[in-house]
Amino acid sequence: MLSNTPSNLSELPIYKKAIEIFALSQSISMYLNHDLSTLKNDGSEDINIYFSGDIVQQSVSLAPEIVNAELERYSDRKYKHIASLRRLTNMLYKNSYRLEHSNSNGKDFLPILRSELKKFKQLQRSWMLTL
């Protein structure tokens, strides 16, 4: 994901989980986009297609925030990255619920994403204690 990530950071469990969540979000989004990209009978588009893009946008930002927090020297800046990571995780969680109301077979994979997000939140709590 990040080519300049120090090897010790890429071995962190929270970093690995962030990469897994990104891959899962991307796969779910591609699956959902196939179903949601068709226009409705009235010519309008399905509003849920935007949420599928949102989960990718938010999940791609998880790993860089972890790296930024790890590499930051000053604690106040470190906590800004941690707060951003929390917001991203919460938005991912909310958008997965929004997508569950979509008219797609891909919504069956969203509970898996939320399960991974729960694991990520647990890793996040223990990781924060090490900073």
Side-chain angles (χ1 to χ4, degrees):
M1 179 155 208
L2 291 176
S3 58
N4 59 355
T5 304
S7 62
N8 62 331
L9 293 181
S10 61
E11 294 301 316
L12 287 172
I14 189 171
Y15 183 84
K16 289 179 180 179
K17 184 58 74 178
I19 299 298
E20 288 175 23
I21 288 171
F22 169 64
L24 181 60
S25 297
Q26 196 172 28
S27 298
I28 291 171
S29 178
M30 286 190 315
Y31 193 87
L32 288 171
N33 279 341
H34 182 69
D35 291 341
L36 300 177
S37 64
T38 57
L39 295 178
K40 295 180 183 177
N41 292 337
D42 63 355
S44 63
E45 61 188 3
D46 193 329
I47 193 166
N48 293 312
I49 197 163
Y50 297 109
F51 296 130
S52 69
D54 288 346
I55 64 170
V56 175
Q57 285 287 145
Q58 292 152 355
S59 65
V60 78
S61 300
L62 293 175
E65 286 297 336
I66 293 167
V67 171
N68 290 337
E70 281 284 338
L71 297 178
E72 191 60 60
R73 292 175 129 180
Y74 304 105
S75 62
D76 59 330
R77 292 182 186 166
K78 203 177 277 252
Y79 288 113
K80 286 182 182 179
H81 293 292
I82 291 170
S84 177
L85 192 62
R86 275 192 184 149
R87 279 191 304 276
L88 287 167
T89 307
N90 290 336
M91 287 189 299
L92 262 166
Y93 211 80
K94 286 178 187 175
N95 284 332
S96 73
Y97 272 114
R98 290 176 177 156
L99 279 170
E100 200 154 5
H101 299 292
S102 67
N103 188 20
S104 170
N105 293 331
K107 65 184 177 184
D108 297 337
F109 297 111
L110 293 166
I112 297 169
L113 176 61
R114 282 195 300 276
S115 169
E116 293 302 311
L117 285 169
K118 283 181 185 178
K119 293 174 190 174
F120 183 76
K121 283 183 178 185
Q122 290 173 344
L123 287 170
Q124 193 175 354
R125 283 186 212 108
S126 60
W127 169 72
M128 285 177 14
L129 296 174
T130 66
L131 294 179

